[in-house]
Amino acid sequence: MSDVEKRLAALSAAGLRRQLRTVDAVSVSSNDYLDLSVDASVRSALIAALTEGAPIGSTGSRLLSGQHPRFTAIEERFAAWQGAEASLLYATGFAANQGLLGTVLRPGHVVVSDALNHASLIDAVRLTKAERRVVPHLDLAAYDRAIEAGRPTVVVVESVYSMDGTLAPLQQLAALCQARGARLVVDEAHATGLYGPTGAGRIEAQRVRDQVFASVHTAGKALGVSGAFVVGSAALMQLQLHDARAFVFSTAPPPFLTAGLHAALDRIRDHAELRARPVALAERLRAALAGRADVRGAGSPIVPVVVGTPEAAGALSSGLLERGWDARAIRPPTVPVGTSRVRLVMRAGLTEAQVDTLAAHILELL
Ligand SMILES: Cc1ncc(COP(=O)(O)O)c(C=O)c1O
């Protein structure tokens, strides 16, 4: 057996072996919160852009042949929506976090990073020479202790935690950062399109835009397309053209995708009722399971049902699949040992009746 095969065998023995699979079932696991990945107006906008001759591929980095007026237009619109000076479009959220943090964090800086931050944030921090201080999940006293007076400090959080559905107390974090002279960076991957008066995210909902140094907004989740915007000052966007290696040394996304992004933003702008549904449906599901299952994520569209072992999570996911649901098990190392779970995600397109049936099926299986 080669070392590669041995490692796979060990993963299989631990019940942690992963498979790439598509299943024919109702999805309660995708991040397509507003069902915009299958929206007719988004599709038509993309087809129209291609028909009008928008390039398919960008042909290079934005600093070389890859620049296109379509990028500038969507970046201006996105920044205006977010109430910020400027934005910069990356091909993925993973790259956006690397580009942003790679630009901001310098040797000698301190970075205070929440223990449950997404892998893309963790890796982005690790690639820098800043001193990393990982703090317990949303423990504000620990954040306070980790911020060091007299040293440039950046605090990095998600506004909605993707595996737990917890909401960061952005007003308190912003106040803390302001009081201690630290910069606040917020990953809004699971909030953009869902929260706030115009759906801009939890920064908008909590009215802290002016206290946030930079934010990241993925376009492959509620926006239904792909890519991600870094939002902040015009100077910060300019500096990324120099220091964000994930931006500089990577082919720009396909220019025609921006047409889909515009259409998705139109849908979000015009349909407040759509934006409110994922969280409302998640509250309904949580209420139905309350007291009978370890459910988390109040106030978010994510409903993690924590069952403990990888086997138990796998069994719940399989049982749900037999009943017509695509609900995925999340196991270590994605979540801590002992907290394997089935992570349910509510989409605007699900009906209340479907959510009630899903709750009944979960209770049947627990
Ligand atoms: C909090 C968070 N940040 C960043 C990302 C990465 O975004 P993308 O999937 O566009 O690379 C994700 C999801 O994948 C995420 O959940």
Side-chain angles (χ1 to χ4, degrees), residues 89-102 120 124 216 218 228 230 240 244-247 250:
L89 177 65
Y90 282 74
T92 68
F94 205 103
N97 279 333
Q98 254 182 42
L100 171 64
L101 294 179
S120 59
V216 175
T218 56
V230 169
Q240 287 172 86
R245 293 164 70 83
F247 182 90
S250 187

Side-chain angles (χ1 to χ4, degrees), residues 145-158:
R145 284 193 298 276
I147 297 171
E148 192 170 314
R151 268 177 84 185
T153 302
V154 179
V155 172
V156 182
V157 295
E158 291 174 39

Side-chain angles (χ1 to χ4, degrees), residues 73-336:
I74 192 72
E75 285 167 347
E76 283 173 6
R77 178 175 181 184
F78 202 88
W81 183 42
Q82 291 293 329
E85 218 171 54
S87 83
L88 193 65
L89 177 65
Y90 282 74
T92 68
F94 205 103
N97 279 333
Q98 254 182 42
L100 171 64
L101 294 179
T103 301
V104 172
L105 297 174
R106 302 281 91 192
H109 285 197
V110 171
V111 53
V112 178
S113 180
D114 192 277
L116 292 193
N117 274 352
H118 188 259
S120 59
L121 293 167
I122 296 171
D123 286 9
V125 168
R126 282 187 180 147
L127 281 171
T128 74
K129 293 192 167 65
E131 184 186 323
R132 182 163 56 109
R133 297 185 181 168
V134 178
V135 283
H137 185 46
L138 299 179
D139 177 342
L140 292 192
Y143 275 73
D144 190 28
R145 284 193 298 276
I147 297 171
E148 192 170 314
R151 268 177 84 185
T153 302
V154 179
V155 172
V156 182
V157 295
E158 291 174 39
S159 61
V160 176
Y161 278 83
S162 58
M163 291 301 144
D164 291 69
T166 39
L167 307 183
L170 293 182
Q171 288 186 346
Q172 286 157 272
L173 281 162
L176 174 66
C177 288
Q178 203 161 35
R180 301 292 316 279
R183 286 176 163 160
L184 180 60
V185 169
V186 183
D187 182 334
E188 288 253 72
H190 295 274
T192 312
L194 299 180
Y195 295 87
T198 72
R202 289 198 61 242
I203 291 174
E204 180 189 47
Q206 300 272 299
R207 299 179 306 281
V208 290
R209 168 56 68 194
D210 290 348
Q211 293 146 273
V212 169
F213 180 69
S215 54
V216 175
H217 305 261
T218 56
K221 302 187 194 296
L223 271 59
V225 187
S226 75
F229 294 86
V230 169
V231 168
S233 72
L236 180 60
M237 301 313 129
Q238 284 293 315
L239 193 58
Q240 287 172 86
L241 306 187
H242 299 266
D243 287 343
R245 293 164 70 83
F247 182 90
V248 174
F249 297 103
S250 187
T251 300
F256 78 91
L257 283 188
T258 58
L261 293 172
H262 278 292
L265 294 184
D266 289 347
R267 292 282 289 161
I268 289 168
R269 180 193 59 208
D270 298 339
H271 294 278
E273 78 294 345
L274 195 70
R275 306 195 304 255
R277 269 186 79 72
V279 175
L281 292 175
E283 297 301 359
R284 186 181 182 97
L285 180 59
R286 270 187 287 270
L289 299 175
R292 294 192 274 175
D294 180 355
V295 277
R296 303 182 185 179
S300 88
I302 299 160
V303 185
V305 180
V306 178
V307 290
T309 64
E311 292 76 14
L316 178 55
S317 164
S318 307
L320 286 172
L321 183 57
E322 281 161 19
R323 288 160 180 77
W325 305 103
D326 177 6
R328 303 292 172 109
I330 311 284
R331 303 169 293 185
T334 307
V335 291

